[in-house]
Amino acid sequence: MNMKESTVKFIELNGFKELTKIQEACIRMAAKDKDIVAISKTGTGKTHAFLIPVMEKIDLQEDNIQVVISAPTRELAMQIYSRAKLMSEAMSGLRIRLLSGGLDSNRMKESLKQLPHIIIGTPGKIRDLYVNNVIRVDKVKMFIIDEADMTLEYGFLEDIDVVFASMKSNPEIMCFSATLPEGLKPFIKKYLSNPQIIRVEDNEEFNPKIEHILINCKHKSYDEALLDILGGFNPYVCLIFANTREECSKTALTLKKNGYKVLELHGGLESRERQKAMKALASKEYTYVVASDVASRGIDVDGVSHVVSLGFPSDLSFYTHRAGRTGRNGREGVCFALYNENDLKAIDTLTKQGINFVPKSFRNGEWRMLKPLNFKRVSRSEIREKEIAKTLNRKNEKVKPNYKKKKTQAINRIKQKERQAYIRQKIKEEKKARYKANHKEY
């Protein structure tokens, strides 16, 4: 692709042997200065699909902000920043700054006195610093919006709109997203010039090989059911997803009380705690991580072997993102979905979308297969009614004398047969119970 020496070095520092489909397509289009909308699953290499073109565009002779990278959450911004640091190793003199909530404001402003070439931050922080004349981003070469659908969903697209509305330059814009919702299309139409739509959805190398296991909580809480199954598998990294911050904290506390070393990651943590959690996550200090859905989108945790979903999220697309944290890069993964009666509709919807759930239970140290949820047990009364119906509706049967009396006798025989089978079953159960009782005595 005739890349700059520093770009090639950056790729080598990342240990890449070859480019993924999304990376190759984006790099080629970016080289032609095209606006891009890239749709691809998380884990297909999207971050480097824009970091590599950024390396190609940066000119160290220009002492100003040339590239803005926006991410919807602090955690995701921090993750991108940690990966972008290698760019400074590949290109000596390159300045990159992280701008997000929770960082010391005075220190942040001080670091911006020497203008960086690249800024990475959340939409709200970028807008605030721009509106307050701390930074100038209206003349940048490239503006990258990562997780654009998530940015839209959280209402952060309005912050970016404020910046774009006063743009004096005509920057190359790259939007990266897992989906392309209708609400994002007006923004694309307004600001992107004849954008190239890149879709990479069926890359076999990245298709997750995930077993979806259903765990019926029955009368137990999610936390109690979770403790029941944790002894049934030995994870490298296990991500446990709860639906709210409060549930995250409650589950993490329950696990800690039961002797598990647990990392907690959700929006309810203080900024310093969230930064500390992200560093611990990157260094793989913890086997068990309890997280909210903020961690299921964009955050790339390497080595996740198991995922546990404590119930189902109201937005069922998040279940897919939860499960997608495992089974990455052709590896196999397991997603345990804990459920109760309130979750049956969600399970039915996801099943129709193609997810194959396998009901199982873990008892006495063993995993057991259970009947599918759509299995309907036929009651004795239903069996009886079917046999009676057959007797009453036989075709091609000639009417004989006393046929009504004979039919009544046939029905009584069916009932008697069913009664005898019921009694035999009860005798068998009582014998089995006596055997167990006698066995316990010895």
Side-chain angles (χ1 to χ4, degrees), residues 28 42 58 67 96 131 165 184 258 289 332 339:
R28 290 189 184 279
T42 303
I58 290 294
V67 179
I96 308 170
V131 170
L184 189 61
N258 283 272
V289 181
E332 295 182 359
Y339 77 97

Side-chain angles (χ1 to χ4, degrees), residues 420-436:
Q420 289 173 348
Y422 175 74
I423 292 170
R424 282 195 294 270
Q425 180 63 27
K426 282 296 180 184
I427 292 171
K428 187 177 179 181
E429 289 175 1
E430 288 175 6
K431 283 183 177 180
K432 191 174 181 180
R434 284 198 298 271
Y435 173 79
K436 285 185 177 179

Side-chain angles (χ1 to χ4, degrees), residues 35 62 64-68 130 136-143 163-173 190-193:
D35 286 352
E62 296 182 23
N64 61 330
I65 299 173
Q66 299 173 42
V67 179
V68 176
Y130 172 66
R136 290 291 301 272
V137 296
D138 54 337
K139 294 183 179 181
V140 297
K141 292 180 179 179
M142 295 182 74
F143 203 113
V163 178
F164 274 23
S166 59
M167 277 283 182
K168 294 178 181 178
S169 62
N170 185 27
E172 182 181 337
I173 302 171
K190 184 177 180 180
Y191 292 114
L192 278 69
S193 175

Side-chain angles (χ1 to χ4, degrees), residues 70-299:
S70 164
T73 67
R74 299 177 190 179
E75 288 80 8
L76 187 51
M78 289 172 61
Q79 178 178 280
I80 296 170
Y81 177 68
S82 66
R83 293 180 176 178
K85 285 179 180 178
L86 281 178
M87 297 168 74
S88 298
E89 291 186 34
M91 184 182 286
S92 181
L94 178 64
R95 297 187 297 275
I96 308 170
R97 297 289 181 268
L98 174 65
L99 312 176
S100 72
L103 300 177
D104 184 270
S105 297
N106 293 327
R107 189 179 298 178
M108 189 188 301
K109 289 178 181 178
E110 187 67 29
S111 70
L112 291 169
K113 285 184 177 179
Q114 185 180 20
L115 288 175
H117 300 103
I118 302 169
I119 58 173
I120 302 168
T122 52
K125 182 58 67 175
I126 293 169
R127 183 207 62 186
D128 290 346
L129 293 174
Y130 172 66
V131 170
N132 292 307
N133 295 316
V134 178
I135 58 173
R136 290 291 301 272
V137 296
D138 54 337
K139 294 183 179 181
V140 297
K141 292 180 179 179
M142 295 182 74
F143 203 113
I144 296 157
I145 305 170
D146 194 19
E147 299 292 343
D149 53 351
M150 195 177 180
T151 302
L152 168 71
E153 183 181 340
Y154 288 176
F156 298 147
L157 210 56
E158 296 173 6
D159 296 321
I160 296 175
D161 191 56
V162 170
V163 178
F164 274 23
S166 59
M167 277 283 182
K168 294 178 181 178
S169 62
N170 185 27
E172 182 181 337
I173 302 171
M174 301 175 75
C175 288
F176 289 80
S177 187
T179 60
L180 185 55
E182 286 297 319
L184 189 61
K185 292 178 180 178
F187 178 88
I188 293 171
K189 186 177 180 180
K190 184 177 180 180
Y191 292 114
L192 278 69
S193 175
N194 190 27
Q196 302 299 304
I197 309 296
I198 299 171
R199 292 181 183 271
V200 178
E201 297 176 345
D202 298 317
N203 190 340
E204 291 184 3
E205 180 186 356
F206 289 97
N207 275 343
K209 299 177 181 178
I210 304 169
E211 182 183 12
H212 296 268
I213 297 176
L214 281 178
I215 304 294
N216 191 348
C217 294
K218 296 182 179 178
H219 60 281
K220 296 182 179 181
S221 68
Y222 289 134
D223 287 354
E224 289 170 333
L226 173 64
L227 289 172
D228 285 346
I229 67 168
L230 283 183
F233 59 95
N234 185 26
Y236 183 68
V237 175
C238 176
L239 278 180
I240 302 167
F241 286 104
N243 289 328
T244 66
R245 299 173 181 180
E246 292 75 19
E247 289 173 2
C248 277
S249 296
K250 179 174 170 291
T251 299
L253 182 61
T254 299
L255 293 178
K256 288 172 184 175
K257 285 181 178 178
N258 283 272
Y260 291 93
K261 186 181 178 183
V262 180
L263 177 66
E264 199 173 337
L265 180 61
H266 56 79
L269 301 176
E270 294 293 330
S271 297
R272 189 172 295 178
E273 292 176 311
R274 289 168 76 174
Q275 291 178 40
K276 187 178 178 181
M278 286 300 295
K279 289 179 181 177
L281 196 62
S283 60
K284 302 182 182 68
E285 294 177 27
Y286 292 82
T287 300
Y288 298 95
V289 181
V290 180
S292 62
D293 282 306
V294 71
S296 73
R297 287 293 300 273
I299 302 299

Side-chain angles (χ1 to χ4, degrees), residues 345-373:
K345 187 176 180 180
I347 294 170
D348 183 57
T349 300
L350 290 168
T351 300
K352 289 176 180 175
Q353 292 175 5
I355 293 179
N356 181 31
F357 289 106
V358 180
K360 289 186 181 182
S361 67
F362 183 69
R363 294 179 186 175
N364 303 321
E366 290 184 1
W367 285 103
R368 298 180 182 178
M369 295 282 291
L370 302 177
K371 290 183 174 66
L373 287 187

